[in-house]
């Protein structure tokens, strides 16, 4: 048997094999790996010669080897126990998939409410939606602190509710629906709002990953400042408790300088940003979506910029944009909300003598719109335009007008798939003569982020809407947003949009996704409708349109 070599200076207990060219560094490790009966040769350094170890050094090495063997056995036992525990947990998880929670129809109906509005509902069943802000698991109990942007709610899950697969894999920043009885906390105990929710039914809406991608792993107070800046869209969730009280006196705005598009690259104003390409924002929508988990329903009023070479009555290159994003809603909720915002704003203006007098002076026949607003699908609008003889210019493959034998632009009927032009849309609105929602536009005509309706006759439409007003046309555009991450990534690829610049937007679908939607209102268009102005240029202090940037 070849001797095992040990070089106390140049050897390595990690990579050594015992060969003369790859010696170990310590005799103890060599004995541990090859046994005390092996033949050993040691030297102090590369300049010395290999000699047999002394009896005392060999005895000491045997003790070292015995200690290493004990550590090995302990490590093996721990690894075996961990494997057994992992197997046991896997079995529990597999069994948990068979447990399905069903809301008890025999219990009193739960009232849906925001956390900030819960106090009057104590001792009643309530239904709340939000993000898991804190999570503590005990045997047979799960404690959740829920956040919805308006406040925090402590909730307790017991019994079967803690045994489902979703309960056993629940992570921070997951979105959930919790239903149960709101109870005042006993004297001597504390909870946000002074009450807690005894949950009798719950469901997971959007999960949040664990492991290296877990929220608490990616975002923590010890993260490098540059990493925190890259992950700002997640950091603001942790800051929600600090930001919320400030919103009554201080309004933060999304950035005007951006590196992503919202409504298509053709309408971007491009500029050089310290050697990097950047754009003036078309919309604050994407950034507002990142605020939903932190602040709940959000809005902003700031400038947006569209590089459209359009000279219509309702287009500006720079305009005041009121935008909002709403969580835990459906498409019907979205349109109802927009309708409510318009009508309540008008009611407030007409209730104020000064503004009412100004509106009367500018628009003597103005009357508050009645609710509900008319709702017409895009497909029905195509039929309506055809029945009323409202045509569109014919275009060739290059989108150039086709002329008839007299040299005039050839006019043809609208068909499904057409983008209804402003003139036709306004003509339709003026004939109908009252506010109306036009909804369900074809996917190919709308932005990448819009949620799709189920396919119909091979065509895909979106949960999108435009609010049209007489004399102006569209003043509000809105839609439900894609909430599934895979569907959103597919939308990027379909539109030829690079995925990486949108990582912060995509992450909203990774960490606690939920059904959500939003809209944008052109303030100048709203004023043009209210004051009966011919063009939105009359409603801007210093209007900007193609060719006009002065004074």
């Amino acid at each position: 048997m070849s001797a095992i070599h040990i070089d106390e200076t140049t050897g390595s207990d990690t990579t050594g094999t015992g060969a003369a060219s790859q010696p170990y560094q310590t005799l103890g490790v060599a004995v541990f790996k090859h046994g005390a009966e092996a033949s050993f040769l040691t030297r102090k350094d590369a300049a010395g010669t290999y000699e047999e170890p002394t009896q005392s050094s060999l005895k000491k090495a045997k003790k070292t080897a015995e200690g290493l063997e004990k550590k090995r056995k302990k490590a093996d036992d721990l690894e075996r126990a961990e494997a057994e525990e992992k197997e046991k947990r896997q079995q529990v998880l597999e069994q948990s998939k068979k447990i399905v929670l069903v809301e008890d129809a025999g219990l009193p109906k739960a009232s849906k409410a925001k956390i900030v509005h819960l106090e009057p509902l104590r001792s009643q069943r309530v239904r709340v939606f939000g993000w898991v802000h804190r999570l503590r698991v005990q045997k047979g109990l799960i404690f959740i602190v829920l956040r919805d942007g308006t406040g925090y709610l402590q909730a307790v899950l017991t019994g079967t509710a803690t045994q489902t697969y979703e309960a056993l894999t629940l992570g921070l920043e997951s979105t959930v629906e919790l239903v149960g009885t709101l109870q005042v906390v006993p004297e001597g105990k504390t909870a946000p709002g002074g009450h807690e929710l005894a949950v009798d039914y719950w469901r997971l809406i959007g999960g949040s990953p664990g492991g290296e991608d877990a929220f608490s792993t990616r975002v923590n107070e010890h993260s490098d400042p540059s990493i925190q800046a890259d992950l700002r869209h997640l950091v603001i969730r942790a800051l929600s408790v600090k930001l919320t009280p400030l919103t009554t006196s201080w309004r933060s705005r999304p950035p005007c300088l951006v590196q992503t598009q919202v409504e298509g690259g053709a309408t971007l104003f491009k500029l050089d940003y310290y050697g990097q390409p950047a754009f003036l924002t078309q919309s604050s929508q994407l950034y507002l979506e990142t605020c939903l988990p932190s602040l709940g329903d959000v809005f902003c009023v700031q400038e947006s910029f569209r590089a459209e070479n359009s000279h219509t009555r309702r287009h500006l290159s720079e305009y005041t944009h009121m935008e909002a994003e709403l969580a835990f809603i459906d498409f019907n909720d979205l349109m109802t909300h927009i309708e409510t915002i318009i009508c309540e704003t008008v009611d407030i203006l007409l209730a104020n003598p000064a503004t009412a007098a100004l509106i009367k002076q500018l628009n003597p026949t103005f009357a508050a719109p009645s609710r509900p607003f008319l709702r017409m699908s895009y497909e029905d609008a195509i039929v309506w335009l055809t029945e009323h003889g409202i045509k569109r210019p014919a275009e060739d493959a290059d989108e150039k007008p086709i002329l008839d034998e007299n040299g005039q632009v050839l006019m043809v009927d609208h068909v499904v798939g057409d983008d209804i032009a402003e003139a036709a849309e306004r003509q339709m609105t003026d004939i109908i003569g009252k506010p109306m929602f036009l909804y369900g536009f074809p996917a190919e005509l709308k932005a990448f982020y819009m949620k799709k309706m189920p396919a119909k006759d091979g065509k895909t439409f979106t949960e999108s809407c435009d609010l049209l007003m007489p004399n102006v046309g569209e003043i509000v555009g809105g839609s439900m947003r894609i909430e599934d991450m895979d569907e959103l990534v597919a939308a990027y690829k379909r539109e030829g949009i690079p995925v990486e610049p949108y990582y912060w937007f995509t992450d909203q679908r990774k960490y606690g996704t939920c059904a959500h939607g939003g809209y944008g209102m052109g303030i100048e268009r709203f004023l043009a409708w209210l004051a009966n102005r011919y063009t939105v240029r009359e409603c801007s202090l210093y209007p900007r349109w193609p060719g006009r940037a002065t004074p």
Side-chain angles (χ1 to χ4, degrees), residues 33-51:
K33 291 188 175 181
H34 297 276
E37 303 306 318
S39 176
F40 302 99
L41 294 175
T42 69
R43 67 182 181 185
K44 294 292 183 181
D45 52 52
T49 58
Y50 281 109
E51 298 179 357

Side-chain angles (χ1 to χ4, degrees), residues 95-375:
Q95 289 296 318
S96 70
K97 293 178 181 178
K98 301 176 183 178
I99 301 175
V100 179
L101 295 182
V102 178
E103 187 172 357
D104 189 346
L107 293 175
K109 184 178 179 180
S111 301
K112 181 180 177 181
K114 297 285 189 182
I115 292 174
V116 71
H117 299 139
L118 285 178
E119 187 172 343
L121 299 175
R122 287 175 176 175
S123 301
Q124 301 179 35
R125 282 187 84 235
V126 298
R127 186 183 309 274
V128 291
F129 298 81
W131 287 263
V132 177
H133 189 69
R134 295 282 184 268
L135 180 65
R136 181 162 56 93
V137 179
Q138 294 181 351
K139 188 174 182 179
L141 294 171
I142 295 179
F143 295 91
I144 292 174
V145 174
L146 192 72
R147 180 189 77 243
D148 72 351
T150 71
Y152 298 86
L153 173 66
Q154 181 171 294
V156 184
L157 279 63
T158 60
T160 306
T162 68
Q163 299 167 9
T164 65
Y165 180 81
E166 291 76 12
L168 297 178
T169 57
L170 188 62
L172 291 178
E173 294 304 315
S174 297
T175 40
V176 294
E177 173 188 0
L178 303 180
V179 185
T181 302
L182 191 65
Q183 302 173 338
V184 177
V185 294
E187 186 175 349
K189 293 188 177 182
T190 60
H195 45 235
E196 68 178 12
L197 188 67
V199 176
D200 57 60
Y201 170 77
W202 78 283
R203 69 182 179 96
L204 179 69
I205 296 173
S208 188
E212 293 183 357
D213 280 341
F215 184 84
S216 56
T217 302
R218 295 191 69 190
V219 177
N220 58 73
E221 60 185 8
H222 303 295
S223 298
D224 183 270
S226 64
I227 294 176
Q228 290 192 11
D230 287 341
L231 300 178
R232 183 67 178 172
H233 60 290
L234 298 180
V235 171
I236 59 176
R237 299 192 184 197
L239 292 175
S240 62
V241 67
K242 301 174 185 176
L243 290 176
T244 303
L246 294 174
T247 56
T248 57
S249 59
W250 173 77
R251 301 290 181 185
S252 182
R253 293 183 176 183
C256 282
L257 287 171
V258 299
Q259 291 188 304
T260 51
Q261 66 184 53
V262 182
E263 301 295 340
T267 64
L268 288 166
F269 284 108
K270 189 174 182 179
L271 56 96
D272 180 273
Y273 186 73
Y274 301 104
Q276 298 181 23
F279 313 99
L280 293 177
T281 185
Q282 301 163 312
S283 166
S284 298
Q285 176 207 320
L286 305 191
Y287 290 94
L288 280 179
E289 285 191 49
T290 70
C291 297
L292 282 176
S294 177
L295 301 175
D297 298 344
V298 288
F299 78 97
C300 74
V301 180
Q302 72 170 22
E303 303 308 296
S304 286
F305 305 85
R306 299 285 172 89
E308 293 179 89
N309 191 19
S310 177
H311 296 262
T312 71
R313 290 161 48 186
R314 69 183 190 191
H315 277 90
L316 291 169
S317 297
E318 176 186 1
Y319 62 99
T320 307
H321 211 177
M322 196 286 276
E323 298 180 87
E325 292 293 320
L326 312 170
F328 306 108
I329 62 169
D330 59 28
F331 190 34
N332 183 64
D333 294 333
L334 176 64
M335 288 190 284
T336 299
H337 172 87
I338 295 171
E339 178 181 298
T340 300
I341 288 293
I342 295 295
C343 292
E344 290 187 353
T345 300
V346 170
D347 289 344
I348 291 171
L349 292 172
L350 294 181
N352 183 303
T355 54
L358 182 59
I359 293 171
K360 186 71 174 177
Q361 178 184 354
L362 295 171
N363 188 1
T365 62
F366 181 81
S370 59
R371 288 188 269 182
F373 291 173
L374 174 66
R375 298 184 183 186

Side-chain angles (χ1 to χ4, degrees), residues 535-551:
T535 171
V536 294
R537 297 174 188 176
E538 298 180 53
C539 302
S540 176
L541 186 61
Y542 287 101
R544 300 295 189 234
W545 67 88
R548 168 60 62 178
T550 54

